[in-house]
Amino acid sequence: MDLMEKMVSSQTIFEGRIIKVTLDQARLPDGKLASREVVYHPGGVAVLALDEDKMVYLVKQYRYPIQRLLLELPAGKLDHGAEEDRLLGAKRELCEETGLEAAEWTYLGSTLASPGFCDEELHMYLARGLTRQRQHLDEDEFLDVVAMPFDRLVEQVMDGTITDGKTVSATLKAKVLLGL
């Protein structure tokens, strides 16, 4: 069975600094029409920074849409969309948010944030060989850097204490793929 949906029309209903939202009409496999609300995002990166003592560096920040503090991996959007080099974006975000630089980078793959309505793809990296530099947050960014043992991070992912999708994905990928 052909499961593809084909766009019939698209109307931009919002275009902001980071996202664009469209209201589309799509033809379904059975020929009927359906409305689709789509959020377009430039994509992002997330970094699991791990030192020689198996300490991982996270950021604690308030997330306005859910009205709570979250503990998550350093991350950010690709400033120039999909054409930005993902590794350069990861290096930039790690240094901006934590003041850390890394000598060794391992690509852990990507994850789709919520593909039912959004095209955001997050690229995940493991960073090792850490050195401390100067943190330089964005003007509207307020966060605390938190270090914890990698094993404790895994425990908090598994017990539901940490629920951020990119942090869960990168942590479990690092655990399984790299045997951490």
Side-chain angles (χ1 to χ4, degrees), residues 107-127:
Y107 184 63
L108 296 174
S110 69
T111 186
L112 298 173
S114 191
F117 72 92
C118 183
D119 75 340
E120 179 183 18
E121 183 174 13
L122 290 158
H123 299 274
M124 301 169 292
Y125 289 88
L126 172 66

Side-chain angles (χ1 to χ4, degrees), residues 101-142:
E101 290 184 354
E104 180 186 332
W105 291 84
T106 304
Y107 184 63
L108 296 174
S110 69
T111 186
L112 298 173
S114 191
F117 72 92
C118 183
D119 75 340
E120 179 183 18
E121 183 174 13
L122 290 158
H123 299 274
M124 301 169 292
Y125 289 88
L126 172 66
R128 290 180 164 161
L130 304 178
T131 56
R132 176 115 6 238
Q133 302 298 322
R134 187 180 67 80
Q135 181 187 45
H136 45 99
L137 299 172
D138 290 337
E139 181 177 287
D140 62 349
E141 196 168 35
F142 300 89

